């Protein structure tokens, strides 16, 4: 009979109320609108993506990005949250097994009669071992374990997303800073040239061969270039401060000397391998939250059913300590405990409705994450594809502006035109060069954004 009862309990323990998890569907097109032939991605967020930034072949950038996962304080905060979620998942696993405990006590108490003044002293000593096990009849503990395990996985995905976001931001800041170095260098070259022009014009003005208006025009052009250079310098300083924060350093302790950008811009692949889009950690985070919400529904439904706990204890109790472990003083207890709710005026039903509503919300968030990811990829693709033609056109415009400035300089030096023409073409040439650099900066930033939008590169995992 005992064997039959145990078998029945084990059989009942095998069921779990609530829905079993199935990943919700999300509408994803077969290809990207802005990249013909690119294939739809499938969930592979656990694939190793490696150091995606190596495609740029920039040692300085690589050294900075490796510090993000080590020293970035925001990443460290999410890493701590992930460890906390792992501990909670381990705690819920432990709840499936019996709990063993012990208790030992020694007390001495006394009374005194108010009439006779006699004193009475008693001793009490006990030692006891106990065991209890909540039989998971309806799967509440298993659903709780599923919920906490999914939450831990979501926390891991959130950590990966924060890390990728910080790395992407650092790479974009780095490329913008390097382009600022180029812009500052161009402005400094122009300042040097305008300063030479101003000295020549001042000499001519002193000699009476140049007008006051021409001198003022040369001074305005020089100071305007200086102001633009200074504007770029404070922006560069702030970008350097942002990079310092991303690698966990104080701005005062970090410096990135000016240098030319030597990185290689990776070309867009002709076809995108499958298993990429849903490597994105934010999609994995949203999907794991759906799994956790699904398990929470089962936990709420289990509230309709009673809890069964098996407990046993054994030990000894004696007034004299030397008799504590003697056979006649043994005590023990054994028995089940069945507890449940008879009437709660709809509280359990409300909890189930709340859990189901939370699940619906998590499904909507998951589908939104997928759609948002598709939009980001499409946006970055169309931007990069358009920038290729735009840069080519701007390069031609810059070359033409430089040629125009060269011709007018020669004409001015030959005395054929006045300085106003030179100032106009030089300003146009400088403006065209700065516009070209701005487009190049946008291209580098969009390249990093596309890599981040694809979850960390378009290379297949090893």
């Amino acid at each position: 009979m005992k064997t039959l009862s145990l078998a029945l309990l084990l059989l009942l323990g095998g069921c779990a109320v609530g829905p079993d998890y199935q990943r919700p569907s999300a509408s994803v097109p077969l290809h990207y609108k802005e990249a013909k032939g690119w294939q739809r991605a499938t969930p592979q967020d656990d694939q190793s993506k490696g150091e995606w930034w190596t495609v740029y072949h920039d040692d300085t950038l690589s050294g900075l990005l490796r510090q993000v996962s080590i020293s970035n304080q925001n990443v460290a905060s999410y890493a701590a949250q992930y460890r906390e979620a792992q501990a909670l998942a381990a705690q819920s696993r432990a709840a499936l097994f019996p709990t063993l405990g012990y208790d030992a006590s020694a007390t001495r108490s006394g009374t005194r009669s108010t009439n006779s003044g006699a004193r009475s002293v008693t001793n009490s000593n006990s030692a006891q071992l106990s065991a209890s096990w909540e039989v998971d009849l309806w799967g509440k503990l298993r659903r709780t374990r599923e919920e906490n395990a999914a939450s831990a996985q979501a926390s891991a995905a959130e950590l990966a997303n924060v890390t990728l976001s910080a790395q992407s931001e650092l790479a974009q800041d780095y490329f913008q800073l390097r382009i600022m170095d180029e812009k500052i260098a161009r402005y400094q070259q122009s300042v040097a040239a305008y300063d030479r022009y101003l000295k020549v014009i001042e000499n001519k003005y002193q000699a009476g061969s140049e007008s006051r208006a021409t001198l003022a025009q040369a001074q305005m052009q020089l100071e305007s270039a200086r102001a633009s250079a200074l504007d770029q310098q404070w922006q560069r300083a702030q970008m350097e401060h942002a990079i310092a924060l991303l690698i966990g350093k104080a701005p005062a302790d970090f410096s990135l000397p000016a240098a030319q950008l030597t990185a290689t811009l990776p070309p867009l692949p002709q076809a995108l391998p499958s298993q990429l889009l849903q490597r994105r950690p934010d999609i994995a985070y949203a999907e794991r939250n759906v799994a956790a919400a699904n398990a929470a529904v089962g936990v709420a439904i289990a509230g309709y059913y009673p809890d069964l706990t098996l407990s046993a204890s054994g030990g000894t109790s004696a007034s004299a300590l030397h008799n504590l472990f003697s056979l006649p003083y043994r005590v023990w207890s054994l028995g089940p405990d069945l507890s449940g709710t008879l009437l709660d005026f709809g509280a359990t039903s409300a909890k189930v409705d709340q859990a189901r509503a939370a699940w619906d919300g998590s499904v909507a968030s998951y589908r939104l994450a997928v759609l948002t990811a598709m939009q980001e990829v499409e946006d970055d693709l169309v931007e990069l594809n358009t920038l290729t033609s735009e840069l080519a056109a701007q390069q031609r415009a810059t070359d033409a502006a430089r040629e125009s400035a060269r011709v007018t300089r020669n004409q001015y030096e030959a005395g054929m035109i006045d300085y106003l023409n030179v100032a106009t073409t030089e300003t146009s040439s400088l403006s065209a060069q700065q516009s070209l650099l701005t487009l190049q900066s946008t291209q580098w930033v969009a390249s990093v954004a596309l890599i981040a939008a694809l979850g960390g590169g378009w290379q297949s995992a090893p």
Side-chain angles (χ1 to χ4, degrees), residues 349-421:
S349 178
K351 290 179 181 178
V352 173
D353 292 341
Q354 180 184 5
R356 284 176 171 159
W359 183 84
D360 289 338
S362 65
V363 170
S365 296
Y366 167 68
R367 289 173 175 160
L368 178 61
V370 173
L371 292 174
T372 301
M374 294 298 299
Q375 178 194 356
E376 290 178 358
V377 173
E378 297 281 14
D379 288 348
D380 294 330
L381 283 172
V382 71
E383 184 175 14
L384 285 170
N385 286 330
T386 304
L387 279 170
T388 300
S389 300
E390 188 177 358
L391 276 164
Q394 184 61 44
Q395 183 65 63
R396 292 191 295 269
T398 301
D399 292 341
R402 282 174 170 167
E403 178 62 17
S404 176
R406 185 190 67 81
V407 171
T408 53
R409 282 197 304 270
N410 291 338
Q411 290 176 339
Y412 173 72
E413 291 171 359
M416 300 172 59
I417 57 176
D418 58 24
Y419 183 74
L420 180 60
N421 293 303

Side-chain angles (χ1 to χ4, degrees), residues 128-328:
Q128 183 174 280
L129 293 177
S130 62
S132 64
W133 178 37
E134 182 179 350
V135 183
D136 195 20
L137 289 175
W138 321 112
K140 181 179 72 173
L141 297 180
R142 277 168 287 156
R143 292 301 190 197
T144 302
R145 177 187 177 186
E146 289 177 15
E147 180 183 5
N148 291 334
S151 295
Q153 292 167 347
S155 182
E158 189 175 30
L159 171 60
N161 187 49
V162 169
T163 303
L164 177 60
S165 177
Q167 291 170 340
S168 172
E169 183 180 351
L170 190 151
Q172 294 179 42
D173 290 350
Y174 174 81
F175 288 130
Q176 291 180 80
L177 182 143
R178 285 293 178 236
I179 295 298
M180 287 179 182
D181 287 341
E182 292 284 341
K183 286 185 173 183
I184 292 171
R186 299 290 175 87
Y187 277 123
Q188 289 174 342
Q189 292 171 5
S190 296
V191 166
Y194 295 160
D195 187 55
R196 290 193 298 270
Y197 275 124
L198 179 60
K199 289 177 180 177
V200 172
I201 292 171
E202 283 177 340
N203 292 333
K204 289 184 177 182
Y205 176 72
Q206 294 295 334
S209 58
E210 279 290 3
S211 66
R212 178 64 183 169
T214 300
L215 178 62
Q217 177 70 31
Q219 291 172 334
M220 182 274 294
Q221 191 175 34
L222 172 62
E223 297 305 329
S224 177
R226 280 176 175 166
S228 296
L230 291 171
D231 184 71
Q232 289 294 317
Q233 286 174 357
W234 70 255
Q235 291 184 49
R236 184 198 188 279
Q238 289 187 346
M239 198 67 69
E240 188 178 71
H241 301 165
I243 292 174
L245 180 64
L246 288 168
I247 61 174
K249 291 185 177 181
D253 298 331
F254 176 76
S255 178
L256 196 61
Q260 287 188 339
L261 180 59
T262 59
T264 302
L265 187 69
L268 289 177
Q270 296 300 314
L272 184 67
S274 61
Q275 306 165 341
L276 277 182
L277 178 61
Q278 294 196 33
R279 297 191 312 176
R280 283 177 56 131
D282 60 334
I283 292 181
Y285 170 75
E287 188 273 331
R288 288 290 83 200
N289 279 334
V290 177
N294 183 83
V297 173
V299 174
I301 292 175
Y304 287 119
Y305 304 97
D307 296 330
L308 175 62
T309 302
L310 302 179
S311 59
S313 64
T316 61
S317 178
S319 58
L321 187 60
H322 64 273
N323 292 327
L324 184 60
F325 296 101
S326 299
L327 189 61

